[in-house]
Amino acid sequence: QVQLVESGGGLVQPGGSLRLSCAASGSIFSVYVMGWYRQAPGKQRELVASIATSSSTNYADSVKGRFTISRDNSKNTVYLQMNSLKPEDTAVYYCNARLSWINYWGQGTQVTVSS
């Protein structure tokens, strides 16, 4: 079992920045592929970024060049640095831990980009 707790969401103006954090507990963090997903009202949940155990990363086209995912295995934490935020980035952001077919989810944190 893995417990995931997100933090760092909030209200930010267009062009601003936020850093999301996801603290994991309950298992060996370093073996999991970690990811950030988001879900906007009326839309399906989508992958934003993921980081493998090797620290290789993958990004949705819509956030490439603006968002950076990173992990600190010593702190059991994954981060999402979000820069140049746009109104269309508004969503609930969820942290995910994946090991083979097993998935764990956090409770989500709201990000609102608005002037």
Side-chain angles (χ1 to χ4, degrees):
Q1 282 280 5
V2 175
Q3 293 78 44
L4 302 172
V5 179
E6 301 103 333
S7 61
L11 173 65
V12 63
Q13 292 187 341
S17 298
L18 282 175
R19 188 175 84 153
L20 306 183
S21 300
C22 172
S25 61
S27 188
I28 303 173
F29 176 78
S30 61
V31 304
Y32 289 87
V33 176
M34 301 300 299
W36 286 97
Y37 289 71
R38 67 186 180 187
Q39 187 167 19
K43 295 188 177 181
Q44 289 190 328
R45 190 173 297 189
E46 63 176 357
L47 175 67
V48 175
S50 64
I51 184 165
T53 56
S54 63
S55 291
S56 65
T57 57
N58 179 54
Y59 295 93
D61 287 343
S62 59
V63 307
K64 282 181 180 176
R66 300 188 298 122
F67 291 10
T68 303
I69 189 170
S70 61
R71 65 190 298 163
D72 186 337
N73 291 338
S74 69
K75 296 181 178 180
N76 288 0
T77 302
V78 62
Y79 304 96
L80 185 69
Q81 178 66 44
M82 305 186 294
N83 298 328
S84 302
L85 282 160
K86 304 175 181 180
E88 50 264 44
D89 295 317
T90 296
V92 178
Y93 284 70
Y94 296 91
C95 180
N96 171 266
R98 179 171 58 84
L99 179 62
S100 186
W101 67 90
I102 303 171
N103 278 278
Y104 298 101
W105 295 93
Q107 82 287 353
T109 186
Q110 177 70 46
V111 172
T112 302
V113 185
S114 175
S115 55

